[in-house]
Amino acid sequence: MKKIVILTIFYLVFIITYTYTEVLKENKPFVEFELEKYRGGKEKLSSLFNINDTDNIIILNFFSKTCEPCKKELTVLNKLSSDFKNDAVIIRLINIDKEGVEEYLKENKTELTILLDPEALRTGKKYKILDDYDRANLPKTIILDKNKNIRYI
């Protein structure tokens, strides 16, 4: 069942992603970060891997309010979240805007947890969100496996 879930996730993310993607053939360990949550508090990436004593698959989706393809991805990620709610799949949205998240959420409803990383200062270079000229490369979706390795960028 988990293989089917993973394959389905890879397929859906591949279809909705318009940017350069890369399925990694070798294990590339995740890079830790801690970000503010949109609705208060903080969250460390490492805290997501073993919720409820389950080895989780983590999907990180980076977005900006000015990114039109990001809005299309949000619709699919919302559906994915509800379809795989009990299958150890955790989705986090990471906003890289300085402000305007409230306006974005009025137009684009979601129950997914949103983390804030203004200008991608904490995650930008680590996860190739920013190019060599510090321009955002969005939308960007990253899948981390249960062994804490980046499997898909």
Side-chain angles (χ1 to χ4, degrees):
M1 177 65 180
K2 281 195 176 188
K3 284 187 179 185
I4 293 172
V5 170
I6 292 169
L7 290 174
T8 303
I9 291 169
F10 282 131
Y11 177 73
L12 288 172
V13 172
F14 179 76
I15 287 174
I16 62 174
T17 302
Y18 294 100
T19 59
Y20 172 77
T21 59
E22 174 184 0
V23 177
L24 301 177
K25 294 178 182 160
E26 59 192 48
N27 290 338
K28 183 175 180 184
F30 82 102
V31 180
E32 178 70 274
F33 61 77
E34 181 177 51
L35 297 174
E36 297 284 334
K37 289 182 178 181
Y38 170 67
R39 290 185 168 77
K42 292 184 178 186
E43 187 167 74
K44 272 189 167 182
L45 179 58
S46 59
S47 71
L48 302 176
F49 284 104
N50 198 356
I51 295 175
N52 299 327
D53 294 323
T54 304
D55 292 329
N56 297 310
I57 296 168
I58 312 296
I59 299 175
L60 304 175
N61 180 263
F62 295 82
F63 76 99
S64 170
K65 65 183 178 187
T66 59
C67 172
E68 286 302 317
C70 295
K71 294 176 186 176
K72 292 177 183 176
E73 279 192 345
L74 181 59
T75 302
V76 175
L77 290 168
N78 281 330
K79 173 100 171 80
L80 195 65
S81 176
S82 65
D83 289 350
F84 295 107
K85 195 168 207 126
N86 299 320
D87 288 321
V89 176
I90 296 176
I91 301 172
R92 290 297 184 260
L93 304 176
I94 301 175
N95 180 267
I96 66 164
D97 297 312
K98 283 185 176 180
E99 54 190 34
V101 178
E102 301 84 15
E103 299 157 17
Y104 181 85
L105 292 176
K106 284 180 187 174
E107 296 174 22
N108 306 283
K109 305 285 186 217
T110 187
E111 295 298 317
L112 295 169
T113 300
I114 297 174
L115 304 174
L116 305 174
D117 188 12
E119 299 179 349
L121 295 176
R122 296 198 178 152
T123 59
K125 298 288 184 185
K126 296 174 186 176
Y127 286 103
K128 299 181 184 176
I129 307 310
L130 301 176
D131 65 15
D132 292 335
Y133 303 100
D134 289 338
R135 292 179 300 213
N137 183 16
L138 299 174
K140 176 74 78 176
T141 301
I142 296 172
I143 299 177
L144 304 163
D145 68 18
K146 64 181 181 174
N147 298 315
K148 302 179 183 180
N149 292 308
I150 300 170
R151 300 306 303 165
Y152 181 87
I153 298 176

